Amino acid sequence: MTESTDDILTRPLGVPEAKAPDQPDGRFGSVVAMLRRPKVAAGSIAAALAVSLGLVIALGDPQGGEPRAEAVIVIREAPARPAAPVAAAEAPVATTAPGQGQLQRSAEEIETASGVTVVRPLGSGPTDAVVIRVPPPSAPRLTAAPDSRITEPSRHGVLPKLGEGRVRALDVYARAEEPGSGPRIAVVVTGLGVGQAATAGATARLPAAVSLAFLPYGSEVERAAARARDAGHEVFLQLPMEPFDYPDSDPGPQSLLTALKGPENADRLGWALARFPGYVGVVNFMGSKLMADTAFEPILREIGARGLGFLDDGTGPKPATAPANKTRTPVARAEIVLDATPRAEAIDAALAQAEARARANGFALVSASGAALTVDRIARWARDLDTRGLRLVPASVALRGARDKRVSTAD
């Protein structure tokens, strides 16, 4: 059928020519048109018919009655791609959901078994720094804690005790002094366990011979102390005690106070001692008033009776008269507080003073906080300590009778 000029000019663009009266209309029109084309292959006709019927059945005709343009699209199958080669040596990766099947050992168990310490900051992600410390083959390993020979249960948890044959936690859990000669310096870093970043920094950056003291309050204190011991540091427990300006300065809950009766302080002491295992002794946290009071005598006696030593960090004034120590609990007092003035040049000067004290007396015991600046200065100072003829030793040396006799003890 030939269109007239008027039909072409008046028909809207895109509207096909009107169908002949005998030409089927509606949704099957395109199929019938294809059937009338002799040059279309039978396979293409069958495929088009199947596709059209499927679409009609599934979707209906959403464009029924709308102008449309028809086209025949022949789809040829692409040649099959060869399968990607699989490496013969590639081992299958087994994935096990948490709590299902047999789980592999945790990362912490692997670290403990190998002696490698991985320090991860809180909330660490893929891009956060992780410090990995691998001990040298000759590094001494600390005795695993808790040791059943020197522990006993209590209502607060496991407590240290004096074992048969007077076996003490002070000896069992101490870090061995590495062989050598020359003046010795012992450093104890306090205030750890409550700030994860500071605790991780001290554990990873400080030499293993530096002793670390942990407060009993941190929710992760047991794990933090275990990681410190895995890294080779011997550890102490810090005991919160009453200072002179209490309650303006408050050591925290479960503090030992002069106003409390003996059993109450004993119970609070038991609570603190049960926070984590593996420590060689107790370090004061504040406590200047309690240590100068007679209320400290039974506390010191209980500490010694459990096979522990007591170390005064030197931050408070030295008592005019030392408390009675009838049981001869091992006691020592730090001679220098490295960061009493928390500035880099002041800390460096205190370290130089510690060196002079050690050269004069053969031994010096110093303390410091776990502040990042202090840890940084100690780490820098200790790098070439041996080239200056000095040695770092654990703080337990001051409590176990292995120190130079020319240095007086606090008992």
Side-chain angles (χ1 to χ4, degrees), residues 339-367:
D339 53 357
T341 302
R343 294 197 306 269
E345 62 275 13
I347 296 171
D348 292 344
L351 288 167
Q353 183 184 358
E355 288 191 27
R357 182 77 57 95
R359 288 191 173 96
N361 300 324
F363 179 86
L365 172 63
V366 301
S367 72

Side-chain angles (χ1 to χ4, degrees), residues 63-107:
Q63 297 181 345
E66 303 254 347
R68 70 180 68 184
E70 303 290 345
V72 177
I73 300 174
V74 180
I75 302 176
R76 295 183 176 89
E77 292 186 4
R81 294 183 178 181
V86 179
E90 183 178 354
V93 179
T95 57
T96 305
Q100 297 179 2
Q102 182 178 3
L103 297 176
Q104 294 182 345
R105 291 188 305 168
S106 68

